[in-house]
Amino acid sequence: MKLLKDILYGVSLAAVSGNTTVMINHLHFDSRKVEMDDVFVAIKGLITDGHKYIQKAINQGAKAIVCEKLPELLVNGITYLEVDNGNKALAIMASNYYDNPSKNLKLVGVTGTNGKTTVSTLLYSLFKKAGYKVGLISTIKIMVDETEHTTSHTTPDAMVINKHLHLMSEEGVEFCFMEVSSHGIHQKRAEGLHFEGAIFTNLSHDHLDYHKTFAAYRDTKKQLFDGLSKTAFALTNLDDKNGMVMLQNTKAKKYTYALKSFADYRGQILENQLNGQLLKIDENELWSKLIGDFNAYNLLAIYATADILGLEKLEILRLISELENVDGRFQYFISKEKITAIVDYAHTPDALKNVLITINALRTGNENVITVVGCGGDRDKSKRPVMGHIASEMSNQAIFTSDNPRTESPEVIIEEMEAGVEPQNAKKILVIENRKQAIKTACKLASANDIILVAGKGHENYQETNGKRIDFDDFKEVKAALNSLNK
């Protein structure tokens, strides 16, 4: 058990009613999990307001309530703590509850529109190969050294983050690499964490359904850098027009990387093929199995981070040359018929454009590019016509299909994608709402040496419709469809 007063350290309290020197058992923001002597933190969420469940939490045994507005009737024997921001209070309390585990290791946050998963996952792999105990908190999974834990959010909630950082601390983990999303920053999930450094990959059109404006989205990302200490490092992509914005107010030591600009860490693409690319970094050449400009930026960020964290430069280059693609990130398969299928998480206009630029740069000119793509429901609607335009403009054939429609009509989503297709590209479009059938059709349309891109879902192994998830894996589906053609 913990002393309530101790886990409140650093929390800004607007009002206190009751005793803060009581012993408490656990900390929860889900009233259904509250048990005897727990603390319940009432959070105002997007779907529901935790303040509605304060009495339920008390009935289940809560000893203390943290809320943004005190209830009209206060129950005797219960400690009430009023705060300005429940999410921020929860994050700081979670860190205190788990003994501030981020202080015991070197935590590096990775933020940006695209590349977060690749950079954080490959940094984890590189430092593992270098012989360190390493942690990872990513979209795909949480790794406590070699033990895997599943996750469902880009940035998990504050309790999950600190719980796993605590496990890492107990396991003697020295470095942890963590994806930090704009949602996570805005909802204060990373508040109270001690970052050794932060990496900015890039910024493009995404999540405007949540942030409303691009400026708000950008400024939310910037908060990660604003909060760094003077002993931390801040690494940014100088080729991105928002790169230097991230560094404007940071106290951290500033570093830059770029392919096109004069930066602290500079790279150059010497050769690009379907099986990899030849890069020059710090005047040294290396071959990487990861292809495309976007991956060149990712690898340059990884090199710079490893150098800043003290690894030997030539050793970093050697380890980078051994790195493999992350699941669902330009993951490809070549069939017996010499048809290449590529599965990529590209779910933003910029990411889709980058992947198609890479694919088209590898073509000799005779191959067709067939793109299967959709847009998620209950998400930024303004990017749908842009995605439709890019897919139709940069492919020989584009098949518009379903991609996690959630509570929206798949047909309506596809119609909004079609609105971005210019008249000269209209004949290049097929609409097949069923994603499985869309992938099968793409495989049937393809001939030897053609390239099929299945975009949008990447590593995801489900399709979500009306709150229900069914098993669905793009890579397995396209591989099975091509193999069935061979038979």
Side-chain angles (χ1 to χ4, degrees):
M1 296 183 80
K2 302 275 184 178
L3 188 66
L4 177 58
K5 184 178 179 180
D6 290 341
I7 68 167
L8 288 170
Y9 180 78
V11 177
S12 179
L13 299 174
V16 177
S17 174
N19 187 4
T20 62
T21 59
V22 295
M23 299 298 291
I24 59 97
N25 186 31
H26 210 281
L27 185 62
H28 291 293
F29 63 94
D30 184 342
S31 61
R32 294 169 295 184
K33 297 179 180 179
V34 173
E35 296 181 353
M36 192 62 64
D37 296 333
D38 286 347
V39 178
F40 174 62
V41 183
I43 302 292
K44 290 182 179 178
L46 295 174
I47 299 173
T48 189
D49 186 347
H51 290 73
K52 296 178 181 178
Y53 306 100
I54 288 176
Q55 189 57 50
K56 178 184 176 183
I58 292 171
N59 293 342
Q60 291 179 199
K63 185 178 282 187
I65 301 294
V66 178
C67 52
E68 294 179 10
K69 184 179 180 181
L70 293 177
E72 291 184 9
L73 295 175
L74 303 183
V75 179
N76 287 333
I78 303 297
T79 302
Y80 293 88
L81 305 138
E82 184 179 332
V83 297
D84 292 331
N85 188 305
N87 283 300
K88 184 176 180 178
L90 173 67
I92 295 171
M93 292 173 72
S95 185
N96 290 333
Y97 181 84
Y98 284 106
D99 301 320
N100 296 289
S102 58
K103 289 183 177 179
N104 301 327
L105 43 82
K106 294 176 180 177
L107 177 64
V108 177
V110 184
T111 196
T113 303
N114 302 309
K116 295 187 297 294
T117 300
T118 298
V119 171
S120 56
T121 303
L122 293 183
L123 276 167
Y124 166 84
S125 298
L126 187 146
F127 276 74
K128 282 294 293 177
K129 288 176 180 289
Y132 293 94
K133 284 196 169 187
V134 194
L136 171 69
I137 300 177
S138 79
T139 302
I140 300 174
K141 58 191 173 184
I142 295 176
M143 296 296 299
V144 179
D145 197 27
E146 296 184 4
T147 304
E148 181 176 336
H149 303 257
T150 57
T151 179
S152 58
H153 298 284
T154 310
T155 308
D157 68 67
M159 291 300 294
V160 171
I161 292 170
N162 281 282
K163 174 186 175 181
H164 288 94
L165 288 174
H166 179 69
L167 291 174
M168 292 176 198
S169 178
E170 289 189 324
E171 288 290 320
V173 165
E174 187 168 347
F175 299 95
C176 176
F177 302 100
M178 173 180 165
E179 287 188 50
V180 187
S181 69
S182 58
H183 288 71
I185 296 170
H186 187 261
Q187 294 168 15
K188 308 296 182 184
R189 297 181 208 158
E191 202 75 27
L193 298 182
H194 295 263
F195 285 97
E196 181 76 11
I199 305 163
F200 171 73
T201 57
N202 51 65
L203 202 67
S204 63
H205 193 113
D206 200 18
H207 300 307
L208 298 193
D209 57 314
Y210 182 88
H211 296 286
K212 306 306 178 188
T213 68
F214 186 83
Y217 176 48
R218 178 200 63 210
D219 292 345
T220 300
K221 296 281 190 188
K222 184 176 174 292
Q223 289 176 29
L224 177 63
F225 296 86
D226 292 349
L228 294 174
S229 70
K230 63 181 180 180
T231 60
F233 73 86
L235 174 66
T236 194
N237 178 357
L238 194 57
D239 286 342
D240 188 284
K241 61 184 179 182
N242 294 288
M244 291 308 293
V245 174
M246 298 297 140
L247 304 186
Q248 283 177 352
N249 301 316
T250 188
K251 300 184 188 76
K253 190 169 182 181
K254 302 172 183 178
Y255 298 93
T256 57
Y257 67 95
L259 294 176
K260 301 172 184 176
S261 311
F262 185 78
D264 297 314
Y265 295 93
R266 297 186 68 185
Q268 183 182 356
I269 301 173
L270 302 178
E271 188 178 330
N272 219 336
Q273 298 177 13
L274 187 57
N275 63 341
Q277 61 181 322
L278 183 65
L279 300 172
K280 181 185 278 189
I281 298 177
D282 266 3
E283 301 306 315
N284 291 293
E285 293 185 9
L286 73 113
W287 180 262
S288 169
K289 299 171 188 175
L290 284 71
I291 72 168
D293 289 13
F294 56 95
N295 270 324
Y297 280 107
N298 293 337
L299 293 172
L300 193 52
I302 289 164
Y303 173 85
T305 303
D307 181 53
I308 293 166
L309 291 174
L311 272 63
E312 199 275 323
K313 291 184 177 182
L314 290 179
E315 176 69 356
I316 299 169
L317 293 170
R318 183 186 70 81
L319 293 171
I320 285 177
S321 69
E322 297 177 2
L323 295 175
E324 303 278 352
N325 270 312
V326 177
D327 287 349
R329 269 66 177 178
F330 218 90
Q331 187 177 8
Y332 68 92
F333 165 76
I334 302 175
S335 74
K336 290 181 181 178
E337 308 294 330
K338 301 301 180 185
I339 298 168
T340 299
I342 298 167
V343 170
D344 194 271
Y345 189 53
H347 63 288
T348 66
D350 191 56
L352 181 62
K353 184 177 180 180
N354 284 336
V355 171
L356 284 168
I357 285 173
T358 298
I359 290 171
N360 282 307
L362 298 171
R363 297 169 64 194
T364 61
N366 298 319
E367 311 91 341
N368 286 317
V369 176
I370 304 170
T371 299
V372 179
V373 65
C375 289
D378 302 332
R379 297 295 186 267
D380 185 0
K381 294 184 178 184
S382 63
K383 70 181 181 184
R384 294 172 185 173
V386 185
M387 296 277 282
H389 167 74
I390 291 169
S392 60
E393 179 71 21
M394 301 182 70
S395 311
N396 299 96
Q397 179 83 61
I399 302 176
F400 292 172
T401 189
S402 185
D403 178 348
N404 291 338
R406 299 182 178 91
T407 64
E408 285 195 73
S409 161
E411 291 83 2
V412 171
I413 295 173
I414 292 171
E415 284 174 7
E416 290 177 356
M417 292 179 67
E418 288 182 283
V421 179
E422 295 186 5
Q424 67 269 24
N425 295 323
K427 292 183 178 179
K428 295 158 65 175
I429 300 301
L430 282 177
V431 172
I432 304 175
E433 186 272 322
N434 183 288
R435 193 172 182 91
K436 188 184 187 83
Q437 193 58 48
I439 291 172
K440 282 185 175 180
T441 301
C443 293
K444 289 177 181 177
L445 290 173
S447 302
N449 299 316
D450 285 352
I451 300 170
I452 299 169
L453 170 64
V454 184
K457 291 177 62 62
H459 64 282
E460 292 179 351
N461 57 6
Y462 61 86
Q463 178 86 310
E464 184 177 340
T465 306
N466 292 320
K468 294 182 180 180
R469 289 186 175 186
I470 61 169
D471 291 341
F472 196 92
D473 186 307
D474 278 353
F475 193 75
K476 288 180 181 178
E477 292 293 338
V478 72
K479 194 171 183 178
L482 286 174
N483 284 336
S484 67
L485 291 180
N486 292 332
K487 292 176 185 178

